[in-house]
């Protein structure tokens, strides 16, 4: 099916209009019109070759929402007219222990990314959400709660679940002290979700001007990390800290903040190794770990949680021809707090 989108056609170039074909419906497939697609910083890392050379042409976008237009003959999950969402992967092996337990994001054979990957037929390129139409197996799509604004839901499909998953895994609850480093697309979702789970939330930001928003999203404390030894007043007090920063930072500064058995979760991935001072881990038996998006059951659970708590992303809605400027503004931490593309403009 003919699809219009935006793509990187040659390494180092800006995104530009690109027309391509999506597959015809298979029996378990759902087709939908994309209405909105969020711009995740991972799109930018990939498009600009920061995680290695991308598979070209590259149509980024893995925060996708729309309305179902057709369903395959054996498909049972969606009806025409339903609100539908697709996140960071469109398939996985379906048979490994992690797929079977609903952790498809950790598929032992590697998940099939929504873009910059090859479909499991071994040859078709996967094209992402910066486009006007999509086709996917029903198993890898989720239902979007009816009460949430569709454009503002798009970022939940990556940013939302990427923060929900570690908050849920480390059992965030009232009485816990949670830190979020970086108030960007991921970070602002982390604040909203952790606050809704009852945690006492602190934002660590290098942008002093974001304090009012941090508090509006539910943070009780805001720490300006450009100040020397910013960690001193709150050191040894946090249960869980999530690092969502897209750039290189010294994460050793943040280890000082963890209390006994506290955990620092690395989520932001600038692409270079982080040097760790192991002495900071031994002291107070601290842990450092990572977390990558979430599995399909968790993706639906997160959307349902957001539906119940009326949580969406704060967005700036843009037209397709603004994508390249949006990239530059995201890198400059100048977005409140996620760019979302209106797919009617492709
Ligand atoms: P984003 O919207 O650009 O937010 C990143 C935030 O990091 C900025 O808002 C800024 O917050 C802070 N920051 C940026 N440059 C900085 C610098 N030079 N020094 C200190 N702080 C800086 O990006 P995002 O979409 O949230 O993604 C964040 C990272 O997570 C990216 O690396 C992305 O690839 C990765 N990611 C990981 C997963 C996963 O599954 N683990 C999923 C999606 C994305 P302040 O202005 O508040 O300081
Ligand atoms: Zn993402
Ligand atoms: Zn698998």
């Amino acid at each position: 099916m003919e699809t219009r989108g935006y793509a990187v056609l040659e390494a180092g170039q800006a995104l530009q209009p690109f027309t391509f074909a999506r597959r015809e419906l298979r029996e378990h497939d759902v087709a939908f019109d994309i209405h909105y697609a969020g711009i995740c910083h991972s799109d930018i890392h990939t498009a600009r070759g920061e995680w290695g050379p991308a598979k070209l042409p590259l149509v980024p976008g893995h925060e996708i929402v729309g309305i179902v237009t057709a369903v395959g003959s054996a498909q049972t999950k969606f009806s025409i007219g339903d609100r539908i969402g697709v996140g960071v992967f469109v398939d996985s092996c379906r048979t490994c222990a992690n797929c079977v337990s609903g952790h498809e994001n950790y598929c032992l054979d590697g998940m099939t990314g929504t873009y910059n990957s090859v479909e499991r037929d071994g040859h078709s390129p996967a094209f992402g959400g910066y486009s006007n139409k999509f086709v996917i197996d029903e198993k890898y799509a989720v239902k979007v709660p009816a009460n949430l604004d569709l454009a503002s839901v798009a970022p939940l499909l990556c940013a939302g679940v990427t923060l929900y998953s570690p908050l849920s895994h480390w059992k965030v609850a009232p009485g816990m002290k949670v830190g979020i480093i970086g108030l960007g697309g991921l970070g602002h979702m982390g604040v909203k979700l952790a606050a809704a789970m009852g945690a006492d939330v602190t934002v660590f930001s290098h942008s002093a001007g974001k304090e009012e928003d941090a508090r509006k999203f539910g943070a009780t404390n805001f720490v300006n990390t450009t100040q020397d030894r910013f960690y001193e007043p709150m050191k040894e007090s946090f249960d869980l800290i999530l690092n969502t920063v897209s750039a290189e930072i010294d994460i050793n500064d943040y280890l000082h903040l963890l209390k006994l058995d506290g955990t620092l979760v690395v989520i932001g991935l600038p692409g270079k190794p982080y040097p760790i001072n192991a002495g900071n881990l031994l002291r107070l038996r601290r842990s450092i770990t990572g977390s990558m998006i979430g599995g399909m059951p968790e993706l639906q659970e997160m959307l349902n949680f957001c539906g119940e708590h009326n949580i969406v992303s704060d967005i700036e809605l843009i037209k397709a021809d603004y994508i390249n400027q949006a990239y530059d503004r995201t890198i400059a931490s100048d977005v409140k707090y996620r760019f979302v593309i209106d797919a009617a403009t492709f």
Side-chain angles (χ1 to χ4, degrees):
M1 112 188 14
E2 190 178 278
T3 305
R4 292 189 311 276
Y6 260 57
V8 178
L9 301 178
E10 282 193 52
Q13 284 189 357
L15 285 94
Q16 49 190 288
F18 174 61
T19 301
F20 59 99
R22 294 217 184 262
R23 68 172 183 251
E24 294 307 319
L25 234 58
R26 297 180 192 144
E27 55 177 5
H28 287 285
D29 278 350
V30 190
F32 64 95
D33 283 345
I34 298 180
H35 283 223
Y36 303 103
I39 295 182
C40 176
H41 209 117
S42 300
D43 303 348
I44 304 174
H45 290 311
T46 309
R48 299 202 169 172
E50 290 164 11
W51 289 344
K55 291 187 198 326
L56 302 177
L58 175 84
V59 179
H62 59 207
E63 296 183 333
I64 309 167
V65 290
I67 305 285
V68 174
T69 52
V71 293
S73 57
Q75 193 282 149
T76 55
K77 192 162 156 187
F78 296 93
S79 304
I80 292 171
D82 280 358
R83 292 151 64 100
I84 185 170
V86 172
V88 178
F89 54 95
V90 290
D91 209 342
S92 65
C93 86
R94 306 173 188 224
T95 55
C96 76
N98 296 351
C99 281
V100 169
S101 65
H103 298 95
E104 299 90 343
N105 49 324
Y106 299 121
C107 173
L108 294 172
D109 195 42
M111 64 181 188
T112 305
T114 304
Y115 60 80
N116 200 32
S117 74
V118 175
E119 299 271 6
R120 294 194 101 79
D121 62 8
H123 58 85
S124 309
F127 290 126
Y130 294 6
S131 56
N132 67 338
K133 291 181 190 302
F134 210 82
V135 177
I136 189 164
D137 185 302
E138 59 179 328
K139 189 171 159 42
Y140 293 85
V142 284
K143 297 187 175 195
V144 174
N147 60 316
L148 302 177
D149 173 62
L150 196 57
S152 312
V153 163
L156 305 186
L157 277 297
C158 173
V161 73
T162 298
L163 276 287
Y164 181 86
S165 181
L167 292 170
S168 157
H169 181 75
W170 277 278
K171 300 186 169 43
V172 166
M176 282 176 74
K177 214 162 148 176
V178 173
I180 304 284
I181 316 174
L183 196 67
L186 267 58
H188 92 293
M189 289 314 308
V191 176
K192 292 183 183 202
L193 292 165
M197 292 172 185
D200 178 25
V201 186
T202 299
V203 167
F204 296 91
S205 170
H206 84 315
S207 307
K210 292 182 180 175
E211 176 163 2
E212 198 182 320
D213 287 339
R215 294 188 188 279
K216 188 181 79 187
F217 299 148
T220 47
N221 293 299
F222 181 90
V223 176
N224 181 342
T225 55
T226 61
Q227 281 163 5
D228 206 27
R229 296 175 78 82
F230 65 84
Y231 48 83
E232 281 292 343
M234 300 183 88
K235 70 180 181 190
E236 298 166 8
S237 68
F238 283 84
D239 297 280
L240 182 69
I241 299 179
L242 308 182
N243 171 25
T244 75
V245 174
S246 50
E248 286 168 64
I249 56 167
D250 185 356
I251 54 174
N252 292 291
D253 285 348
Y254 296 89
L255 291 176
H256 296 294
L257 290 155
L258 295 173
K259 69 182 199 189
L260 178 66
D261 289 330
T263 304
L264 172 67
V265 186
V266 175
I267 294 170
L269 200 61
K272 296 222 177 93
Y274 288 109
I276 307 287
N277 177 352
N280 277 339
L281 296 177
L282 274 56
R283 212 184 114 57
L284 301 183
R285 201 165 54 192
R286 293 159 167 146
S287 301
I288 179 160
T289 180
S291 183
M292 191 178 79
I293 45 174
M296 290 312 300
E298 212 166 24
L299 189 57
Q300 188 65 63
E301 184 185 306
M302 177 274 310
L303 283 172
N304 297 348
F305 180 90
C306 288
E308 282 158 29
H309 293 265
N310 243 314
I311 294 174
V312 286
S313 172
D314 280 40
I315 65 160
E316 295 190 37
L317 192 63
I318 61 166
K319 294 186 176 147
D321 62 8
Y322 192 74
I323 292 172
N324 295 299
Q325 281 152 280
Y327 273 24
D328 291 337
R329 282 187 49 201
T330 302
I331 292 165
S333 304
D334 175 25
V335 49
K336 293 193 169 176
Y337 276 82
R338 196 57 135 190
F339 286 113
V340 170
I341 309 159
D342 180 350
T345 62
F346 283 116

